[in-house]
Amino acid sequence: MLIKKPQGWEIPEREATDESVYLRRRQIIQGLGFLGMEALASQALAAVAPDLYPAERNPKYTLDRPLTPEADATGYNNYYEFTLDKARVKDVARGFNSEPWKVQVKGLVNNPKTYDIDDLVRKFPLEERLYRFRCVETWAMAVPWTGFPISHLIKEVDPKPEAKFMRMVTVNRPAEMPGIESQPHYPWPYFEALEIKEAMNEMALFVTGIYGKPLPPQNGAPIRLITPWKYGLKSIKSIVEIEFTSKRPRTLWNDIGGAEYGWYSNVNPKRPHPRWSQAQDRIIPNGELRPTLMYNGYEEFVRSMYSGREF
Ligand code: MTE
């Protein structure tokens, strides 16, 4: 990813105190009083529909490698609105509040609607799937996600014939997300997009849980995208807006580094990033190297959508 070197006059990220997050957490812990545990406070904040977890695992999707330990998948994160420091995201994001939460679906659809997250999570049956996850930076995990196929929502909102794309936007809360102000060179809020055809693919999920529990803030609570045949940068977190369009929408990483991050960003071991090879996965946490698979090993599910040249 693009990592900007701080200028002398900038406060290094890790020295900036995320005071508002800290103070809010204190208030909540005081409010909880009798519980008095920070861990419980953060869980209470993040949990949407906890009674729905764990959801039943769909046995169709199997792995060729061990599952990543939960502590690594929830402790080594990319979520730049909080911090660029992967190991600190969970701490900086701890007080992030995902209730109440609304997801607005708009644009070229016959049934535009703003969903309350609790209604949305209960609307379609949740299932657990084990998927490989590959970041454009080469690190890779294997994660049990809980969610529902995006196709279910698309059928519900019923796109008009001229709609070809689905654009998604992350919540914009500078007061809770200190990275938004400490990294003003990124065009916040985070935005991503898929072709509707891609979003209709059976592998494409809206994810609301991980390891049999509701998503914690660092993994994109309360709802995020997972398209396991694409690099992780496509899997936008904490979605508040979904828009159906006829024109191809811009996407954040493609906008700021088009030569490095393709609009499709399909995993392709034969197409190196300008500064590193994409031929190997570096497995988290042990650093084992494994050959990167075309479409991250999901070729049988997605090949028919592509000519093989999409970047
Ligand atoms: N979504 C938002 N809003 N902000 C981000 O910085 N990072 C992306 C993606 N979604 C990102 C995001 C990148 S680069 C990756 S690799 C994955 O989230 C990481 O997901 P994880 O932390 O759950 O492993």
Side-chain angles (χ1 to χ4, degrees), residues 1 77-81 135 170 190 219 224 232 235 237:
M1 312 301 287
N77 302 100
N78 272 340
Y79 202 160
Y80 281 15
E81 290 91 324
C135 178
T170 293
Y190 201 101
N219 292 98
R224 71 172 300 171
S235 65
K237 296 177 169 180

